[in-house]
């Protein structure tokens, strides 16, 4: 896909990796819908930064814990502003280290709604917005934990594994008009509330002996979006951690 003039929606794109991906797509020529929940100031700043790059941007607040309503609000606002939508990146997620013994029904529901149910209905709404003769791209941000069993982050792992399956199934159902792929990051940024020591500890388990950075996720994203013959794939960007990590 030639990204010049394309319109992209990125959930959770006011801050962190979502913001980095938004700026990378703006630099590549895309107009953006910046989705956020409560980070209004950061979303407006991201839009301002995109406009400084010569592209258009809107900020849309929507609660992904109400997936059907949020999907309609986000995609409809994008089409109303730009007249179309070409790219959907499901990036927003809940990441909590809960086990079978410590998780509650609320933990399960919040992970399921935001990590899997919201992407499902966003994909549904996105696919319905693709016009005849138009090509589209969906990229789901998953996690290397979704690709193997392990201890810890149980609701998170299950929902991200479901997102991998959704990626694979939609790559068949939506072909040939829409390509659907996923990126599985490793240690890129510390979780909220953690500092750099978290990444230093994680780096010990990484074969490449370092943590990654948001630019490496952006590079993976641009590769997938520019590739016209790649679909149904999970591109792991983890320094090989998925092969060496043990019990967390």
């Amino acid at each position: 896909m030639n990204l010049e003039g394309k319109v992209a929606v990125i959930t959770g794109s006011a801050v962190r990796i979502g913001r980095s991906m938004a700026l990378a797509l703006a630099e590549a020529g895309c107009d953006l819908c910046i989705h956020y929940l409560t980070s209004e100031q950061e979303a407006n700043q991201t839009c301002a930064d995109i406009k400084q790059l010569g592209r258009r941007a809107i900020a849309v607040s929507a609660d992904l814990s109400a997936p059907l309503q949020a999907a309609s609000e986000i995609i409809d606002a994008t089409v109303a502003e730009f007249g179309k939508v070409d790219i959907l990146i499901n990036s927003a997620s809940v990441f909590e280290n809960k086990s079978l013994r410590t998780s509650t029904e609320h933990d399960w529901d919040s992970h399921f709604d935001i990590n899997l149910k919201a992407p499902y209905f966003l994909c549904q709404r996105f696919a319905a917005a693709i016009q005849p003769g138009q090509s589209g791209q969906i990229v789901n941000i998953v996690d290397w934990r979704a690709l193997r069993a392990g201890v810890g982050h149980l609701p998170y792992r299950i929902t991200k594994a479901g997102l991998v399956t959704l990626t694979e199934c939609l790559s068949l159902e939506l072909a040939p008009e829409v390509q659907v792929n996923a990126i599985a990051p490793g240690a890129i940024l510390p979780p909220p509330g953690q500092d750099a020591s978290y990444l230093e500890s994680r780096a010990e388990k990484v074969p490449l002996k370092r943590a990654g950075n948001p630019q490496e996720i952006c590079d993976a994203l641009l590769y997938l979006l520019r590739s016209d013959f790649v679909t149904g794939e999970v591109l792991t960007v983890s320094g090989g951690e998925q092969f060496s990590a043990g019990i967390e």
Side-chain angles (χ1 to χ4, degrees):
M1 175 183 282
N2 180 355
L3 298 180
E4 187 70 32
K6 301 301 183 184
V7 176
V9 170
I10 309 178
T11 62
S13 48
V15 296
R16 296 172 60 83
I17 293 175
R19 169 182 160 84
S20 296
M21 292 190 293
L23 294 177
L25 290 193
E27 290 176 348
C30 292
D31 298 320
L32 275 298
C33 171
I34 301 302
H35 160 262
Y36 69 99
L37 178 57
T38 59
S39 303
E40 181 178 8
Q41 182 176 349
E42 294 87 344
N44 289 336
Q45 182 60 56
T46 300
C47 286
D49 292 342
I50 289 168
K51 292 171 183 176
Q52 284 287 100
L53 294 169
R55 304 310 308 181
R56 294 182 292 162
I58 59 170
V60 176
S61 177
D63 185 355
L64 297 182
S65 66
L68 273 170
Q69 180 179 339
S72 296
E73 290 172 351
I74 294 167
I75 299 300
D76 291 357
T78 303
V79 174
E81 177 69 22
F82 300 109
K84 64 171 183 173
V85 60
D86 303 286
I87 298 164
L88 169 63
I89 302 169
N90 287 304
S91 177
S93 69
V94 176
F95 176 74
E96 294 179 350
N97 191 3
K98 301 289 184 176
S99 69
L100 180 66
R101 291 182 174 86
T102 63
S103 57
T104 65
E105 184 177 9
H106 172 75
D107 296 328
W108 172 258
D109 288 344
S110 64
H111 280 80
F112 186 87
D113 286 344
I114 294 171
N115 294 2
L116 183 56
K117 193 173 178 181
Y120 181 97
F121 286 108
L122 278 159
C123 289
Q124 183 185 70
R125 197 79 177 185
F126 173 82
I130 296 295
Q131 300 299 311
Q134 180 187 1
S135 61
Q137 290 254 18
I138 296 171
V139 178
N140 295 316
I141 306 301
V142 294
D143 193 299
W144 67 261
R145 293 176 180 84
L147 306 175
R148 55 164 288 169
V151 175
H153 302 91
L154 186 57
Y156 175 80
R157 284 180 188 268
I158 292 169
T159 53
K160 287 297 187 176
L163 193 53
V164 170
T165 299
L166 181 66
T167 299
E168 295 169 346
C169 291
L170 291 187
S171 72
L172 300 176
E173 182 171 337
L174 300 182
E177 291 83 7
V178 179
Q179 294 167 250
V180 188
N181 293 290
I183 298 172
I188 303 296
L189 292 174
Q194 300 280 355
D195 57 22
S197 63
Y198 173 88
L199 290 183
E200 292 170 3
S201 175
R202 285 281 299 277
E204 296 174 2
K205 301 177 181 178
V206 177
L208 295 185
K209 297 303 178 186
R210 68 173 179 87
N213 60 66
Q215 184 59 51
E216 287 161 324
I217 303 302
C218 294
D219 291 343
L221 175 65
L222 291 171
Y223 163 74
L224 290 174
L225 293 179
R226 287 170 170 157
S227 300
D228 293 329
F229 200 56
V230 177
T231 196
E233 295 295 332
V234 179
L235 179 53
T236 304
V237 185
S238 71
E241 185 179 7
Q242 73 274 20
F243 301 118
S244 62
I247 295 176
E248 297 172 56

